[in-house]
């Protein structure tokens, strides 16, 4: 019997063909396997029973990184194969296999790297079929060495024999290399002069970090700025040079045991930190610890991660201290991936640059996640997780491109029954970031030979991606354009992740998004399915004093709510910490602007309500990074406080005045903040109680707040309600493209 199998899914660059080869041997089958641009083909000849056993084992024993989306089989004419072979890739096909993300160094490679006898002892670029770079070194599909930045390195005989031996764990590991034939480290000063190479470069870097220097280190998807996390002077110097006064830095550890001495982590967090994707996980600090207070000042949480490249391991082994490792970029610009740009942009920030000559083709930042009780919340989907592919419940008739939001941008595309999500791109406000956006669109179009027929974008006329999409339509009148409301897209992103097709009750809470009525939305409750939505409840709109300025100054949102609640005369008699943040003249002037609506757009934003409460409670009046007020407030929540503020929901509008009036009478920060969180949860469940048949869906940047998510989760479990947050996909604006793509998929039939 001869049977031919076509397999799609994540089956390239993950050790799939050697796995097939070994199985064919196990069951005594002849034939071949090869990569093509849609996945992998397998043809086997032999006893039908053995073929059945073979295909069962194929699905049961998959390699760790592989995923089968579809497997079709067909009986073929008997050929009489004499052996089982791994053939070269087909390259003349037009459709596409899936690009897999970069993977952290595996334990087997780590063991070899630590083995004095091994020919790759301490080799900084060790990898195998199960680990190492993928997406970050890929020019195009299929994933073969000539299509990667390893193409300039010619394999030595020893590497070649591993690469070509189907039973070797480096069989077809595209970036395989060694001291003989592979990339090399070099240490540069900030004028691009080479200070040292190879092992010397590593040793000099170590000495430099030990004396408190800041060194840029090339990783998988870009450079990190690195310094000793236990050395406050070094950390302060980094803050000063980067002009980043308080925004927390992430800390990299050598292993889970040293990590545990600096933070308190649950078993779930331990698993997440140790997972093969090695994300940054935001966890609770341990006090006291060796980590400098300057790393994450004023908050009780710390972003931690484990070394994930051989270079990180070598550094941490020699240094034996945890390292601040923050993405090397100019604020709001994309992560830097080559030393020339690094020196140009950050030459004054770093003392030296640990570079190497394996090019980064596609930048990819570190992923950021946290646990809320037993669920993962993704704050940034990037290295390790992305590019991510999601198998759709049905075939799309059109090729769809979704261009995402303006902040935390990412893009999504749909073809056949596959949805591809790009890694985090970032805020599109700088020219560099916008170029990175355009480059990412091109990269994915190239990978999948994809030309969009439908493009979907956010309603906000000022979003860069929206403008870009509209200009594309000018050139291509046949391109079908879909404009989508931001908060609906948030809800759709959860529906896409869990493939929910029926009506849900969606809570879309974030900082800002463009509403259907042209005002700023952000505290929206909606009944939604994949094609429509009804906004049923939102918080009472208030004016953002100074527009954009209010985002950086929580005290302005607080003042606006005071203006909504009290007359100017009444305010005179009020003792509020917020009022003390302004001069009398400023208050008069802002009140005038508020009354006349001068530079004071209306918003119903939950993010701004958080800001307002942070100021009224006296914990944050001015903010220096996005989400600061929520992060600071988390630590004031006392679970023993159970009261709630009075609130009313009239005709779908949540009246905030009763809450503000009560809050202003109080002084205890803990009480104000705890009761505010309780009230918010109560509001959610009071709306939910009127729609008991609908599952609850939560999305938007406000749910980056772990304490809030935990309170909601607990309550949902107590009341036995079906509920969903984004888990594997970004809960903030990073998820907008996913929601957009899901919506366009469901419009498909009407086009
Ligand atoms: Zn490995
Ligand atoms: Zn070699
Ligand atoms: Fe948003």
């Amino acid at each position: 019997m001869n049977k031919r199998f076509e397999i799609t899914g994540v089956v390239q660059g993950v050790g799939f063909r050697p796995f097939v080869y070994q199985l064919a041997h196990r069951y005594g089958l002849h034939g071949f396997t090869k990569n093509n641009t849609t996945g992998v083909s397998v043809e086997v000849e032999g006893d039908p029973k053995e073929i059945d056993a073979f295909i069962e084992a194929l699905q049961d024993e998959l390699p760790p990184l592989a995923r089968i989306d579809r497997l079709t089989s067909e009986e073929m004419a008997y050929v009489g194969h004499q052996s089982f072979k791994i053939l070269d890739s087909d390259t003349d096909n037009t459709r596409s296999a899936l690009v897999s993300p970069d993977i952290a160094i595996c334990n087997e490679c780590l063991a070899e790297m630590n083995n004095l006898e091994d020919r790759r002892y301490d080799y900084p670029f060790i990898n195998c079929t199960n680990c190492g770079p993928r997406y970050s070194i890929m020019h195009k599909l299929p994933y073969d060495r000539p299509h990667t930045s390893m193409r300039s390195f010619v394999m030595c005989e020893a590497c070649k024999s591993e690469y070509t031996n189907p039973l070797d764990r480096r069989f077809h590991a595209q970036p395989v290399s060694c001291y003989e034939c592979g990339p090399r480290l070099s240490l540069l000063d900030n004028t691009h002069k080479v200070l040292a190479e190879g092992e010397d470069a590593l040793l000099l870097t170590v000495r430099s970090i030990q004396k408190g220097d800041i060194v840029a280190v090339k990783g998988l998807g870009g450079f990190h700025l690195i310094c000793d996390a236990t050395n406050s002077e070094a950390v302060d110097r980094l803050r000063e040079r980067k002009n980043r006064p308080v925004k927390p830095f992430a800390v990299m550890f050598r292993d889970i045991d040293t990590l545990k001495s600096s933070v308190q982590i649950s078993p779930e967090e331990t698993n997440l930190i140790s997972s093969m994707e090695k994300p940054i996980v935001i966890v609770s600090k341990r006090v006291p610890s060796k980590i400098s207070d300057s790393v994450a000042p004023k908050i009780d949480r710390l972003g931690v991660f484990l070394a994930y490249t051989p270079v990180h391991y070598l550094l941490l082994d020699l240094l034996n201290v945890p390292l601040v490792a923050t993405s090397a970029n100019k604020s709001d610009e994309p992560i830097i991936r080559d030393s020339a740009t690094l020196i140009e942009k950050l030459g004054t920030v770093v003392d030296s640059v640990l570079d190497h000559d394996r090019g980064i083709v596609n930048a990819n930042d570190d992923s950021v996640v946290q646990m809320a009780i037993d669920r993962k919340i993704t704050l940034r989907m990037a290295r390790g997780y992305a590019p991510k592919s999601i198998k759709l419940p049905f075939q799309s008739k059109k090729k769809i491109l979704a261009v995402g939001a303006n902040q935390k941008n990412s893009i999504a595309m749909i073809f056949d029954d596959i949805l591809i999500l790009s890694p985090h791109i970032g805020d599109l406000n700088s020219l560099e970031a916008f170029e990175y956006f355009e480059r990412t669109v091109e990269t994915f179009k190239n990978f999948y030979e994809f030309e969009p027929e439908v493009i979907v974008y956010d309603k906000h006329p000022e979003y860069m991606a929206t403008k870009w999409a509209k200009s594309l339509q000018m050139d291509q009148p046949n391109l079908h354009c879909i404009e989508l409301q931001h908060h609906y897209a948030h809800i759709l992103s959860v529906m896409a992740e869990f493939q929910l097709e029926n009506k849900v009750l969606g809570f879309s809470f974030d900082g800002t998004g463009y509403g259907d009525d042209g005002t700023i939305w952000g505290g929206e409750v909606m009944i939604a399915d994949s094609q429509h939505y009804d906004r049923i409840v939102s918080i009472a709109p208030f004016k953002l004093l100074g527009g954009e300025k209010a985002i950086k100054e929580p005290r302005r949102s607080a003042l606006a709510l005071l203006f909504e609640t009290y007359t100017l005369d009444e305010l005179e008699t009020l003792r509020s910490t917020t009022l003390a943040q302004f001069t009398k003249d400023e208050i008069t002037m802002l009140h005038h602007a508020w009354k006349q609506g001068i530079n004071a757009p209306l918003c119903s934003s939950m993010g701004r309500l958080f800001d307002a409460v942070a100021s009224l409670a006296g914990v944050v009046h001015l903010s220096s990074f996005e989400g600061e007020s929520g992060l600071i407030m988390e630590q004031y929540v006392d679970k023993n406080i159970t009261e709630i503020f009075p609130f009313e929901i009239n005709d779908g509008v949540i009246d905030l005045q009763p809450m503000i009036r009560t809050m202003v009478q109080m002084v205890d920060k803990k009480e104000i903040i705890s009761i505010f969180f309780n009230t918010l949860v109560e509001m959610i469940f009071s709306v939910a109680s009127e729609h008991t048949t609908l599952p609850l869906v939560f999305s938007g940047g406000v749910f980056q707040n772990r304490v809030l998510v935990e309170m909601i989760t607990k309550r949902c479990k107590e009341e036995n309600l079906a509920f969903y947050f984004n888990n594997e996909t970004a809960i903030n604006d990073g998820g907008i493209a996913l929601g957009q793509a899901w919506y366009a998929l469901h419009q498909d039939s009407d086009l």
Side-chain angles (χ1 to χ4, degrees):
M1 187 188 203
N2 180 317
K3 244 182 168 173
R4 179 82 179 251
F5 299 93
E6 296 297 338
I7 301 163
T8 63
V10 184
V11 289
Q12 288 192 14
V14 292
F16 193 79
R17 288 174 304 162
F19 161 70
V20 171
Y21 179 94
Q22 287 171 33
L23 286 184
H25 273 250
R26 187 196 297 171
Y27 296 102
L29 303 172
H30 292 167
F32 65 86
T33 177
K34 67 177 174 182
N35 278 350
N36 55 45
T37 46
T38 61
V40 168
S41 309
V42 180
E43 189 169 313
V44 282
E45 275 180 359
D47 185 89
K49 259 202 230 127
E50 298 296 323
I51 293 182
D52 285 348
F54 162 82
I55 207 68
E56 200 168 299
L58 185 95
Q59 294 169 84
D60 285 353
E61 301 171 25
L62 276 186
L65 305 179
R67 185 188 84 206
I68 293 179
D69 284 343
R70 195 182 324 113
L71 187 151
T72 58
S73 68
E74 193 185 349
E75 226 181 292
M76 310 283 284
Y78 192 79
V79 182
H81 293 291
Q82 293 302 304
S83 63
F84 193 88
K85 285 199 175 107
I86 295 177
L87 302 180
D88 284 341
S89 305
D90 276 349
T91 45
D92 53 348
N93 219 316
T94 51
R95 294 185 348 188
S96 295
L98 302 176
V99 177
S100 61
D102 298 319
I103 296 296
I105 181 171
C106 72
N107 288 334
E108 279 166 294
C109 286
L110 208 52
E112 282 184 12
M113 199 173 84
N114 288 325
N115 176 4
L116 255 168
E117 307 291 305
D118 197 277
R119 72 186 190 93
R120 289 192 183 86
Y121 174 69
D122 273 359
Y123 179 56
F125 302 94
I126 191 167
N127 61 71
C128 71
T129 309
N130 291 326
C131 78
R134 298 278 190 284
Y135 168 73
S136 67
I137 59 167
M138 264 170 86
H139 290 282
K140 60 176 188 176
L141 283 168
Y143 177 59
D144 279 335
R145 188 158 170 132
H147 297 158
T148 72
S149 60
M150 283 301 290
R151 65 184 167 199
S152 49
F153 299 92
V154 180
M155 270 181 251
C156 69
E157 282 310 312
C159 286
K160 201 173 203 164
S161 78
E162 294 169 327
Y163 181 86
T164 49
N165 174 6
L167 297 174
D168 193 276
R169 60 181 211 90
R170 292 201 168 81
F171 176 71
H172 280 206
Q174 305 305 338
V176 68
S177 66
C178 70
Y179 283 109
E180 275 300 296
C181 65
R184 269 173 79 81
L185 290 175
S186 56
L187 186 70
L188 314 173
D189 71 7
N190 50 20
T191 66
H192 227 122
K193 199 178 99 196
V194 178
L195 301 172
E197 285 186 298
E199 202 190 342
D200 292 342
L202 199 74
L203 295 174
L204 208 56
T205 303
V206 166
R207 238 179 292 152
S208 174
I209 292 171
Q210 275 166 341
K211 70 172 209 269
D213 282 356
I214 294 150
V215 184
V217 175
K218 191 171 179 179
L220 268 180
F223 280 85
H224 282 129
L225 299 179
I226 281 181
C227 72
D228 179 350
T230 64
N231 179 340
S232 291
E233 266 172 53
V235 181
D236 289 340
R237 197 174 308 127
L238 176 57
R239 289 208 173 278
E240 205 180 290
R241 289 189 193 167
K242 258 212 105 190
N243 191 18
R244 176 168 157 161
V246 289
K247 191 177 173 187
F249 289 128
V251 179
M252 182 186 272
F253 294 82
R254 186 194 173 279
D255 53 62
I256 198 81
D257 291 329
T258 54
L259 185 145
K260 279 179 177 166
S261 67
S262 297
V263 290
Q264 307 172 46
I265 50 175
S266 67
E268 289 86 3
E269 287 168 336
T270 308
N271 289 340
L272 196 50
I273 293 166
S274 318
S275 65
M276 65 187 179
E277 291 88 358
K278 300 282 187 292
I280 294 174
V281 184
I282 302 175
V283 297
S284 298
K285 279 181 182 170
R286 196 180 277 285
V287 197
S289 94
K290 286 194 300 184
I291 308 286
S292 156
D293 289 337
S294 301
V295 171
K298 288 200 288 186
I299 51 174
D300 58 1
R301 312 266 290 158
L302 186 67
V304 296
F305 57 150
L306 292 178
Y308 58 83
T309 70
V311 175
H312 297 145
Y313 267 102
L314 292 168
L315 281 176
L316 282 159
D317 249 349
L318 292 163
L319 280 161
N320 210 13
V321 289
L323 296 173
V324 163
T326 185
S327 302
N329 58 359
K330 264 196 143 154
S331 48
D332 292 345
E333 287 184 8
I335 186 167
I336 295 171
R337 62 194 166 110
D338 65 274
S339 55
T341 312
L342 191 117
I343 288 166
E344 181 202 321
K345 301 235 176 215
L346 299 174
T348 55
V349 173
V350 300
D351 296 294
S352 54
V353 181
L354 185 60
D355 195 15
H356 61 70
D357 51 355
R358 184 180 72 201
I360 297 174
V361 180
N362 305 303
N364 202 350
D365 224 316
D366 292 316
S367 290
V368 184
V369 299
Q370 64 183 349
M371 290 300 297
I373 308 182
D374 53 353
R375 275 163 216 241
K376 181 167 106 183
I377 298 178
T378 299
L379 308 180
R380 190 199 287 154
M381 195 186 82
R383 177 188 50 77
Y385 298 118
K388 183 180 180 65
S389 58
I390 296 175
K391 170 123 164 35
L392 297 170
F394 57 88
Q395 290 270 335
S396 173
K397 292 192 194 114
K398 302 263 176 157
K399 293 180 174 177
I400 299 164
L401 173 65
V403 296
N406 214 51
Q407 278 193 312
K408 303 184 166 62
N409 179 273
S410 70
I411 58 167
M413 49 182 52
I414 288 180
F415 51 85
D416 304 333
D417 59 350
I418 293 287
L419 186 154
I420 308 275
L421 263 174
S422 81
H424 165 87
I425 295 171
D427 297 353
L428 299 188
N429 294 321
S430 67
L431 186 63
E432 283 76 4
F434 187 67
E435 280 170 5
Y436 181 28
F437 163 83
E438 285 189 301
R439 198 166 64 231
T440 307
V441 173
E442 280 313 307
T443 300
F444 280 87
K445 278 167 73 175
N446 263 334
F447 279 162
Y448 298 110
E449 295 182 30
F450 174 93
E451 227 12 273
E453 296 159 306
V454 178
I455 189 160
V456 45
Y457 50 84
D458 195 278
K459 228 172 191 163
H460 201 307
E462 294 306 317
Y463 275 11
M464 292 301 289
T466 298
K467 288 182 175 174
W468 181 86
K470 285 181 178 169
S471 72
L472 202 66
Q473 196 206 14
M474 302 272 264
D475 303 338
Q476 301 171 39
N478 288 334
L479 191 64
H480 183 89
C481 286
I482 300 174
E483 207 170 64
L484 192 66
Q485 203 281 319
H486 185 94
H487 301 95
Y488 179 32
H490 272 305
I491 299 306
L492 287 158
S493 74
V494 182
M495 299 176 72
E497 183 177 336
F498 295 95
Q499 312 224 330
L500 308 175
E501 297 280 1
N502 298 325
K503 274 200 169 65
V504 302
L505 182 63
F507 295 83
S508 193
F509 293 171
D510 69 357
T512 43
Y514 194 80
D516 283 337
D517 56 6
T519 69
I520 299 164
W521 289 7
E524 318 305 318
V525 188
M526 49 185 67
I527 292 179
D529 60 25
S530 300
Q531 279 158 318
H532 310 277
Y533 82 98
D534 276 313
R535 181 198 198 202
I536 57 160
V537 173
S538 64
I539 59 178
F542 56 96
K543 289 174 182 169
L544 277 185
L545 298 170
E548 288 278 302
K549 229 179 181 172
I551 296 174
K552 298 221 153 147
E553 298 186 17
R555 60 176 184 167
R556 285 174 182 260
S557 293
L559 189 62
L561 282 171
L562 292 176
F563 288 160
E564 296 284 345
T565 314
Y566 299 96
T567 65
L568 254 192
D569 289 342
E570 284 172 327
L571 279 185
E572 296 249 322
T573 62
L574 218 64
R575 290 229 326 254
S576 159
T577 149
T578 297
L579 294 173
Q581 303 304 311
F582 298 93
T583 64
K584 237 183 142 194
D585 285 352
E586 281 173 330
I587 293 180
T588 317
M589 206 182 68
L590 285 168
H591 190 265
H592 177 74
W594 174 81
K595 214 167 152 190
Q596 306 290 323
I598 303 162
N599 196 16
L602 274 177
C603 84
S604 57
S605 160
M606 188 61 80
R608 296 294 83 77
L609 178 60
F610 265 73
D611 282 353
V613 175
S615 171
L616 291 170
V619 297
V620 185
H621 298 293
L622 301 172
S623 145
S624 75
F625 62 93
E626 192 239 76
E628 185 178 4
S629 56
L631 202 56
I632 301 266
M633 278 201 281
E634 276 188 12
Q635 56 201 322
Y636 287 93
V637 176
D638 180 344
K639 289 185 177 130
N640 297 316
I641 298 175
T642 55
E643 289 110 297
I644 57 165
F645 288 122
F647 68 90
E648 277 171 34
I649 303 178
N650 303 314
D651 296 330
V653 177
I654 303 173
D655 184 1
L656 301 172
Q657 289 191 23
M659 177 169 86
I660 301 298
R661 281 183 187 278
T662 319
M663 196 182 281
V664 169
Q665 306 303 319
M666 298 165 56
V667 286
D668 189 288
K669 294 178 169 116
K670 234 184 194 170
E671 277 180 21
I672 295 176
I673 292 167
S674 306
I675 299 176
F676 169 67
F677 274 67
N678 292 343
T679 310
L680 195 54
V681 173
E682 206 52 47
M683 285 172 182
I684 290 170
F685 287 92
S686 119
V687 178
S689 69
E690 283 167 28
H691 303 275
T692 50
T693 56
L694 302 179
L696 309 183
V697 163
F698 302 91
S699 190
V702 164
F703 298 107
Q704 297 176 109
N705 193 298
R706 180 189 53 116
V707 172
L708 179 64
V709 171
E710 289 188 347
M711 289 168 76
I712 294 170
T713 303
K714 215 176 134 230
R715 181 80 173 258
C716 285
K717 285 184 173 170
E718 277 164 15
E719 298 192 14
N720 227 338
L721 301 172
F723 69 104
Y724 303 88
F725 290 92
N726 301 81
N727 294 156
E728 301 297 328
T729 60
I731 200 157
N732 47 38
D733 280 6
I736 290 290
L738 173 62
Q740 291 171 340
W742 184 254
Y743 179 77
L745 174 72
H746 287 84
Q747 297 293 302
D748 217 28
S749 51
D750 309 338
L751 297 180

